[in-house]
Amino acid sequence: MAKIFDRVLGSFSSDLAIDLGTANTLVYVKGKGVMLSEPSVVAVKKDARGGNKVLSVGLEAKKMLGRTPGNIVAIRPMKDGVIADFEVTEAMLRHFITKVHNSRKLVRPRIMICVPTGITQVEKRAVKESAQSAGAREVYLIEEPMAAAIGANLPITEPTSNMVVDIGGGTTEIAVISLSGIVYAKSVRVGGDKMDEAIMQYVKRKYNMLIGESTSEEVKIKIGSAYPLEMDETIEVKGRDLVTGIPQNKTISSEEVRAAISEQVDSIVQGVRIALEQTPPELAADIVDRGIVLTGGGALLKGLDELLKQETQLPITVVDDPLTAVVVGSGKALDNVDLYKDVTID
Amino acid sequence: MTLQEIGCLLREERERQGKSIEEIMDATCISRRNIAAIEAGDEKDLPHPVYAKGFVRSYSRVLGLDADELANRLAATYTSEEDEDDDSFACRQAKPLSPVSSGARKSSWLVIAAIIVLLVLLGWLVWSMGLGTKTETGQAVEPVPAEAQAVSTPSAVPAPEPASPAEEALAVEPEFSVPAANATQEPLAFPEEQGEEAVPSEAQNPAAEAPVEPATEPGRVRVVAKAGEQCWMQAQLDDGQIREAFIRDGQSVTFSFEEHGWVRLGNAGGVHVTFNGAPVPIDAGEGQVKTLHFP
């Protein structure tokens, strides 16, 4: 009886696909497209009795990052692609779900959530349970590179190989996909966040200046590059001088940023090389012909495709909308749950 | 823009810049076969459109053309047919796998649910309305004779009538032939007309079809059955109680009341009725039901 009831109500619910990323969370509503894209940040306020109250979520909370008084903490509940703070993640999910699924409390949606490849059972359970307690009727998990490949419209059901590199905030997923299955997958826990940290460290070492996370992300987005550009760009960075303790301005060039993030970029390149080494020869032959597809926000890093091309001697394709490829792919998988049933994981 | 056109454009641009295919291969890492396929516009030799689009983009970037523009133009023509293929593949696969939640099934569920909801709403509406009218006018409607309803305006109409729209007034009272004047004239004309035609505007203020003189003194109604006839009757007198009687073959029954009452005759043609000694003419055939109101 409960099943029938759920089914009847289910026909009124709009199912959701969520890319629960370290940096950004995107929500795709079935039949409507990507409805929400906000930073995975939650601002929590501690009250007098020690209880926690969620103050704001998403963009608003991100503005508070590093600018909060003692009783407010802006938390990024996801670390390295997995849930680091269970309760806060749940609060965030609930906020996003109610935001896109507004005023339909009775009807609970089916949710497809992307997870990095090779996460542990404990981590999977954490994702599932937090989604369930945030109001999901049913939770499906899908591996990020698979979702990215579907989102990029790659012919994953064909018996040819597709190599996808999804560079997210916390992890970089490298996978070779053929016949709707993952032949080889590797998750490198390096992504945009690590690059931001590297830029912070670099500025601290070189200029004796402390800058915040948001500032270093801005530097990375504006002038960051992986391969020498035709035009060297500069940007003014504001921070606090470590010696004098006085806020100040410094100008940083893209060459400096490139040097700062070279370690992270190298580990991505290394991951791709290892994946290529591990690929069976027939599939490797396909990859030579078709090359590598880049998705994820990291694909927007200038010159990354050029660098990978130089390093691997393979053609590199950056998908049209790298930021939403994963969530669009999971949305498609949700739309055709039966077709893509085998790409979801338990 | 089709692949052929873009291929031509790229080849011409390459030749104009004096570059060989090898140089393009070095710069883009695209295999010779694919470059040749792009330039020839040969869709069969190219991998999936997503890749082809990427190749065109990097090729045109090397030549210094507007890479995104070209790639998007290509996507507009090239991707669609392949996607159709993908869709048909999806359908083929989905059908045997999923009889349960295919689109049609889902929509039928929606329709069924919607119908159920509608029915429930409708039922509730009817129930609540039926209950409402019963409690409201239960006493008022019942005494109105079935025939009176057909002949003159029934009790349901009078309330809106003074302000009723022209056409309604026309249908009910054909005498008022000037519809424009109706709105202003009617409130004045209404009471007069009511008296003239003796329309029962309210059950509380009943009027008999038969021209019965208003009587202020207590009245006595005597009903005598004709020979060979029988009649069932119902009467409501001052006290509001409804009585029933059955007479046959010359039997008679007498009702008396103080102010007003009504008598419903089951076989109006088969009885003689007198009111305070004066006969009441009944123009009704045998077996007709008639209700007589007495003032």
Side-chain angles (χ1 to χ4, degrees):
Chain A
M1 185 62 208
K3 221 172 181 181
I4 295 168
F5 192 65
D6 243 10
R7 254 207 142 128
V8 170
L9 283 181
S11 52
F12 293 101
S13 85
S14 35
D15 298 339
L16 310 175
I18 300 180
D19 175 9
L20 192 58
T22 315
N24 292 295
T25 296
L26 289 93
V27 181
Y28 173 102
V29 182
K30 193 174 178 177
K32 286 188 189 162
V34 182
M35 294 275 283
L36 183 141
S37 166
E38 288 204 40
S40 312
V41 185
V42 182
V44 178
K45 186 177 187 177
K46 285 205 175 79
D47 60 21
R49 282 174 296 165
N52 288 336
K53 188 176 159 263
V54 174
L55 202 64
S56 63
V57 180
L59 215 60
E60 214 177 310
K62 195 183 182 186
K63 284 185 194 147
M64 300 180 187
L65 211 59
R67 295 192 175 93
T68 50
N71 59 338
I72 299 174
V73 203
I75 303 173
R76 306 183 63 167
M78 307 287 294
K79 272 235 152 57
D80 297 334
V82 293
I83 293 177
D85 190 325
F86 189 82
E87 278 167 25
V88 176
T89 306
E90 190 193 311
M92 183 175 80
L93 271 179
R94 180 170 296 137
H95 177 265
F96 288 149
I97 291 171
T98 39
K99 205 166 173 184
V100 297
H101 211 247
N102 44 353
S103 75
R104 276 185 283 174
K105 292 258 160 62
L106 190 64
V107 190
R108 295 181 302 148
R110 283 194 301 180
I111 298 185
M112 173 89 76
I113 297 188
C114 329
V115 292
T117 50
I119 66 168
T120 62
Q121 286 297 330
V122 177
E123 288 164 337
K124 271 182 211 168
R125 222 182 129 96
V127 172
K128 265 197 162 172
E129 280 181 6
S130 66
Q132 263 156 359
S133 48
R137 175 158 52 101
E138 249 177 287
V139 182
Y140 302 98
L141 299 183
I142 183 170
E143 284 171 313
E144 266 163 28
M146 185 59 91
I150 296 171
N153 256 333
L154 296 183
I156 58 158
T157 47
E158 288 170 21
T160 52
S161 72
N162 302 281
M163 185 160 179
V164 182
V165 178
D166 174 44
I167 306 158
T171 59
T172 295
E173 310 282 330
I174 302 150
V176 178
I177 297 167
S178 174
L179 286 170
S180 305
I182 291 183
V183 178
Y184 173 85
K186 189 174 166 59
S187 179
V188 186
R189 300 220 162 174
V190 170
D193 285 356
K194 291 271 162 66
M195 294 181 195
D196 297 346
E197 261 169 51
I199 293 171
M200 276 163 71
Q201 292 300 326
Y202 179 86
V203 173
K204 189 172 157 194
R205 251 199 340 266
K206 181 148 187 210
Y207 297 105
N208 274 326
M209 187 170 84
L210 276 185
I211 58 172
E213 257 177 79
S214 317
T215 312
S216 65
E217 191 185 0
E218 193 191 331
V219 169
K220 178 190 72 183
I221 290 170
K222 288 214 169 122
I223 63 163
S225 63
Y227 196 75
L229 302 168
E230 288 159 17
M231 280 259 297
D232 223 19
E233 289 170 85
T234 56
I235 193 173
E236 253 186 16
V237 179
K238 292 168 216 120
R240 175 164 62 91
D241 194 298
L242 273 174
V243 182
T244 61
I246 292 166
Q248 60 172 9
N249 264 335
K250 278 270 168 11
T251 306
I252 299 185
S253 72
S254 54
E255 201 184 337
E256 286 173 300
V257 178
R258 191 157 59 241
I261 62 175
S262 64
E263 196 186 317
Q264 282 70 33
V265 171
D266 278 347
S267 51
I268 292 172
V269 173
Q270 213 53 44
V272 173
R273 280 172 167 241
I274 293 169
L276 286 170
E277 274 172 24
Q278 304 282 329
T279 309
E282 277 300 334
L283 296 177
D286 288 336
I287 294 172
V288 170
D289 218 25
R290 296 162 169 238
I292 300 169
V293 175
L294 293 189
T295 69
L300 295 170
L301 185 67
K302 295 183 199 79
L304 184 63
D305 50 344
E306 195 65 28
L307 179 73
L308 277 170
K309 194 169 74 192
Q310 293 299 324
E311 292 288 329
T312 60
Q313 291 296 312
L314 294 172
I316 309 290
T317 305
V318 180
V319 298
D320 285 337
D321 201 350
L323 275 171
T324 59
V326 170
V327 73
V328 167
S330 358
K332 272 190 196 171
L334 187 64
D335 285 348
N336 309 302
V337 150
D338 303 281
L339 175 59
Y340 291 114
K341 194 107 205 177
D342 44 345
V343 305
T344 59
I345 52 175
D346 303 322
Chain B
M1 219 173 189
T2 61
L3 186 65
Q4 273 95 345
E5 287 167 336
I6 288 175
C8 268
L9 193 102
L10 288 172
R11 197 183 64 235
E12 277 164 19
E13 181 66 24
R14 175 176 64 82
E15 281 163 0
R16 201 182 58 78
Q17 292 183 9
K19 284 182 177 165
S20 66
I21 288 188
E22 280 74 21
E23 280 173 79
I24 303 293
M25 279 169 61
D26 284 348
T28 60
C29 295
I30 303 171
S31 67
R32 182 191 295 274
R33 201 173 66 123
N34 284 332
I35 292 179
I38 289 172
E39 289 189 352
D42 186 356
E43 294 177 9
K44 271 183 229 134
D45 266 9
L46 277 175
H48 192 269
V50 175
Y51 292 108
K53 192 176 165 188
F55 293 164
V56 167
R57 185 179 283 151
S58 42
Y59 190 172
S60 42
R61 195 177 296 139
V62 168
L63 295 177
L65 298 169
D66 188 346
D68 291 325
E69 167 79 19
L70 274 179
N72 287 335
R73 279 195 193 174
L74 175 69
T77 58
Y78 187 28
T79 323
S80 52
E81 55 182 290
E82 283 284 323
D83 270 0
E84 275 165 29
D85 283 359
D86 277 359
D87 285 349
S88 64
F89 173 76
C91 292
R92 274 207 309 277
Q93 282 247 322
K95 257 176 206 160
L97 270 175
S98 64
V100 183
S101 67
S102 61
R105 181 70 184 229
K106 181 129 203 200
S107 64
S108 77
W109 262 106
L110 253 172
V111 167
I112 289 170
I115 287 172
I116 290 172
V117 167
L118 261 175
L119 279 177
V120 166
L121 262 174
L122 210 76
W124 176 79
L125 214 73
V126 166
W127 180 77
S128 64
M129 269 174 70
L131 208 73
T133 48
K134 229 178 191 172
T135 50
E136 241 179 60
T137 57
Q139 285 203 320
V141 171
E142 261 177 56
V144 174
E147 226 168 89
Q149 261 181 351
V151 174
S152 54
T153 50
S155 61
V157 181
E161 202 167 17
S164 66
E167 54 171 325
E168 200 183 324
L170 266 176
V172 175
E173 268 86 46
E175 304 94 344
F176 291 101
S177 53
V178 192
N182 250 358
T184 48
Q185 273 190 3
E186 201 155 16
L188 293 171
F190 183 65
E192 174 189 319
E193 175 250 342
Q194 191 187 24
E196 199 177 277
E197 283 205 359
V199 175
S201 67
E202 282 169 40
Q204 246 53 26
N205 181 16
E209 298 94 347
V212 175
E213 285 158 27
T216 45
E217 67 270 10
R220 275 165 58 86
V221 179
R222 191 176 145 84
V223 182
V224 184
K226 292 177 187 166
E229 295 282 1
Q230 51 191 24
C231 181
W232 163 90
M233 65 191 73
Q234 201 181 29
Q236 189 182 28
L237 306 175
D238 293 318
D239 51 3
Q241 261 189 355
I242 293 177
R243 273 159 242 212
E244 276 183 29
F246 192 78
I247 50 173
R248 62 173 65 172
D249 274 317
Q251 283 181 333
S252 71
V253 71
T254 305
F255 302 104
S256 51
F257 52 85
E258 299 283 329
E259 281 169 44
H260 53 254
W262 55 260
V263 179
R264 182 173 294 155
L265 302 167
N267 178 13
V271 289
H272 294 292
V273 182
T274 51
F275 176 54
N276 287 346
V280 178
I282 302 171
D283 50 344
E286 214 179 336
Q288 242 182 321
V289 179
K290 196 139 192 173
T291 306
L292 303 176
H293 290 264
F294 299 99

